[in-house]
Amino acid sequence: MMSFDFFSCTMFTKDVGREAQTIVSDLDGTLLRSRSSFPYFMLIAFEAGSPLRAAILLLLSPLAWLVYNFVSESVGIKILIFVSFAGLKVSAIESVARGVLPKFYLEDMHSSSYSLFVACGRRYVVTANPRIMVEPFLKEYLDVEAVMGTEIQATSGGFATGFVAAESSGVLVGMNKRSAVKNLFADDTPDIGLGDRESDYPFMSICKEAYIVPSNEAVERVPKNEYLKPLIFHDGRLVCRPTPLMSLAILLWTPIGFTLAVIRVFVGIGVPLWLAPLVAMLLGVSVTVKGIPPTYSSSSSSSATTTPGDSSNGGRQRGVLFVCSHRTLLDPIFLSIAAGRQVSAVTYSISRLSEVLSPIRTVRLTRCRNKDALTMATLLNEGDLAVCPEGTTCREPFLLRFSSLFAELADHIVPVTMNIKIQMFHGTTARGWKGMDPFFFFMNPAPTYEVTFLEQLPIEMTCTGGKTSHEVANYIQKMLANSLGFQCTDFTRKDKYRILAGNDGVVS
């Protein structure tokens, strides 16, 4: 009988020669700190399915746990697969696996086994979890060459049946992992095998070296700066990893939270701006304002950039152009609350419901540069205007590339950082119905908005001062990033939606 070494938390670094080795690892409890795959099935059920499916999965989870631990691992996994997958579109499962799960997998990575895994040049994973669920994360963020996982059945119409495929080149639930590894490698024996339980012994026994990773969820997670690839974009409504206890809390809070969100939204529509901070506080919404908002508009006699179709504003005062980082579609509303006055906003693509419910004026842009420049110039002649040059939101501490159009339209530019603190639900989505975005934000028990007014851009840093519009945009992007402690990127709105939703993000 082959013996296995216990994995030491300090024994592995990027040793000389490791990059030439082949490693085969289990997933749950090995590469991941947690042995339970329940949270990831819950994410599929909630994000690709519905709260009702998530509730059914939670109710049946004790049965799945008992079967998995005392009867059969394969049958326990089959229960989770059936409840989570049955009747869902395969494309929806793939979308959640690509846009939602990677964040939660990365945050659950076992720091020690991760160090050994990424030090090896050829990486493989063998798991009883459905391949469709784990493969996007493993290939995209860990550079895994092949995933040996359970294959699911699908109808000709593209719907998952919830059953496991009868034949597969991957790992079938109940099929020995050893057979899957043997079929893939043939006579080419893997150098290292990693596992965490007795059921992993068979595939580990055919590896040249084998190590057992002790069960320890308290081990440190992998720091973000050690990711092979930074996580910039992710989707989904849930903020926290949905363990059984957290899932119960979320499902119990959802009807209460939705009722509270409706109250917050409709009360907010009718409240004057001077009273909004007090009403928000009474309803559990915190608004933190830093810096001093400008209390005046620049006159037409001051230097103002000439805009297409707008050589003169008739002697009227021009408004302040607020250039904001973008966290949710509510940014201009909370900017108006912080500034104490109405600020119009231009939008690229929001739902009609959000436009109807908005307590401030919103104007859609057409993506035609000349038309949009004329629209924004007209709005500035009428009053203050808020723009979010990223064109879309980003949840992680990154700023996307700024569109430079705004820099050509005004010299009185005030950069504003927007940031949020939430507990349960994200108020943005790339896949779901955008009309629910404000409601999900306000469904959080105690959402917080932080608005920080930075110093007005000096005239020498504007187009009038001799800078190009791109230089102005890049300068403000760096200002906002430094203030927030974020990183600047060259990613755009289209990049985000193509990664998360497979489209350009246009709301019809």
Side-chain angles (χ1 to χ4, degrees):
M1 179 179 294
M2 182 176 179
S3 62
F4 301 101
D5 292 328
F6 279 93
F7 190 88
S8 167
C9 290
T10 60
M11 68 183 293
F12 292 117
T13 57
K14 193 163 186 177
D15 301 329
V16 176
R18 285 284 185 207
E19 61 272 11
Q21 292 186 321
T22 298
I23 187 169
V24 180
S25 176
D26 181 43
L27 185 61
D28 297 319
T30 305
L31 283 179
L32 303 181
R33 297 180 299 167
S34 173
R35 284 189 166 190
S36 172
S37 56
F38 171 84
Y40 309 107
F41 283 105
M42 174 58 73
L43 287 166
I44 294 289
F46 188 92
E47 304 288 359
S50 65
L52 176 60
R53 183 185 291 268
I56 294 173
L57 178 62
L58 182 62
L59 289 173
L60 292 178
S61 61
L63 172 63
W65 183 87
L66 289 171
V67 171
Y68 183 89
N69 286 280
F70 299 105
V71 180
S72 167
E73 289 187 10
S74 63
V75 176
I77 292 290
K78 280 183 177 180
I79 293 174
L80 294 177
I81 292 175
F82 182 81
V83 178
S84 304
F85 284 43
L88 293 181
K89 280 190 173 183
V90 172
S91 59
I93 299 171
E94 291 173 338
S95 180
V96 172
R98 182 178 63 251
V100 179
L101 296 186
K103 172 185 182 293
F104 295 94
Y105 278 131
L106 283 169
E107 291 178 350
D108 195 26
M109 292 294 296
H110 191 297
S111 57
S112 299
S113 54
Y114 173 85
S115 297
L116 172 62
F117 191 74
V118 299
C120 296
R122 300 178 61 198
R123 304 163 198 147
Y124 299 85
V125 169
V126 58
T127 176
N129 287 327
R131 183 184 56 80
I132 189 177
M133 189 167 84
V134 301
E135 188 174 64
F137 157 69
L138 292 171
K139 288 195 171 183
E140 182 71 16
Y141 290 92
L142 296 186
D143 288 339
V144 170
E145 294 193 20
V147 179
M148 294 160 277
T150 300
E151 299 291 342
I152 61 169
Q153 287 184 354
T155 66
S156 58
F159 289 88
T161 64
F163 296 107
V164 173
E167 296 182 1
S168 167
S169 59
V171 177
L172 298 181
V173 174
M175 175 181 174
N176 198 308
K177 292 181 180 180
R178 175 189 174 98
S179 299
V181 175
K182 196 71 175 175
N183 289 341
L184 181 65
F185 286 91
D187 297 328
D188 186 15
T189 304
D191 294 299
I192 301 173
L194 281 181
D196 70 298
R197 65 193 80 190
E198 190 173 342
S199 60
D200 295 329
Y201 290 179
F203 91 82
M204 295 168 65
S205 66
I206 62 176
C207 300
K208 296 175 183 177
E209 301 177 55
Y211 300 95
I212 293 292
V213 180
S215 176
N216 183 12
E217 292 191 37
V219 71
E220 292 183 0
R221 66 175 62 178
V222 177
K224 289 187 176 181
N225 60 1
E226 293 184 13
Y227 291 170
L228 287 181
K229 179 180 179 180
L231 176 73
I232 297 177
F233 299 122
H234 62 85
D235 202 24
R237 291 295 190 184
L238 299 184
V239 172
C240 299
R241 184 166 170 267
T243 61
L245 191 60
M246 178 56 69
S247 298
L248 178 61
I250 291 171
L251 291 172
L252 291 177
W253 173 258
T254 295
I256 301 171
F258 183 73
T259 302
L260 182 59
V262 171
I263 295 172
R264 286 168 169 171
V265 168
F266 285 97
V267 169
I269 292 174
V271 171
L273 286 175
W274 64 268
L275 191 59
L278 176 61
V279 173
M281 183 179 66
L282 294 175
L283 292 175
V285 181
S286 176
V287 183
T288 302
V289 182
K290 299 179 182 179
I292 302 174
T295 56
Y296 61 90
S297 297
S298 58
S299 67
S300 59
S301 61
S302 65
S303 58
T305 304
T306 301
T307 57
D310 181 49
S311 58
S312 171
N313 59 8
R316 294 170 294 176
Q317 291 185 328
R318 302 195 82 221
V320 178
L321 180 61
F322 294 99
V323 181
C324 310
S325 58
H326 201 8
R327 305 312 276 177
T328 78
L329 61 81
L330 299 171
D331 291 339
I333 297 174
F334 281 93
L335 172 64
S336 296
I337 293 173
R341 60 181 187 269
Q342 286 277 343
V343 179
S344 299
V346 288
T347 66
Y348 282 101
S349 191
I350 65 173
S351 70
R352 291 295 183 189
L353 178 61
S354 296
E355 289 181 321
V356 171
L357 295 178
S358 176
I360 64 172
R361 182 183 180 187
T362 63
V363 178
R364 287 197 178 207
L365 298 179
T366 63
R367 301 187 191 279
C368 173
R369 189 175 182 84
N370 290 336
K371 289 183 180 180
D372 291 343
L374 180 58
T375 297
M376 295 167 67
T378 302
L379 291 172
L380 276 170
N381 286 334
E382 296 173 356
D384 298 330
L385 177 64
V387 298
C388 298
E390 291 172 276
T392 188
T393 58
C394 183
R395 297 173 180 176
E396 294 300 308
F398 296 94
L399 292 185
L400 307 186
R401 191 174 73 199
F402 276 24
S403 168
S404 62
L405 177 60
F406 72 89
E408 303 171 8
L409 306 177
D411 297 328
H412 190 191
I413 300 174
V414 177
V416 184
T417 67
M418 314 294 295
N419 212 352
I420 59 173
K421 294 180 180 177
I422 48 181
Q423 297 81 38
M424 285 188 174
F425 304 103
H426 287 291
T428 59
T429 181
R431 296 175 52 256
W433 181 37
K434 293 181 182 295
M436 287 298 295
D437 283 1
F439 292 95
F440 270 103
F441 175 82
F442 285 118
M443 281 172 64
N444 287 288
T448 297
Y449 240 98
E450 298 177 349
V451 183
T452 303
F453 294 93
L454 304 183
E455 293 292 331
Q456 178 182 334
L457 209 65
I459 192 68
E460 62 268 19
M461 293 306 301
T462 66
C463 290
T464 299
K467 299 295 183 180
T468 67
S469 60
H470 293 288
E471 288 175 330
V472 176
N474 292 340
Y475 178 75
I476 295 179
Q477 183 195 33
K478 290 178 182 178
M479 282 184 64
L480 296 176
N482 290 337
S483 176
L484 289 165
F486 288 5
Q487 294 182 40
C488 296
T489 75
D490 286 329
F491 286 106
T492 66
R493 181 177 188 277
K494 286 187 177 181
D495 293 326
K496 168 187 169 179
Y497 278 91
R498 285 171 180 170
I499 290 171
L500 296 181
N503 58 54
D504 288 341
V506 178
V507 175
S508 59

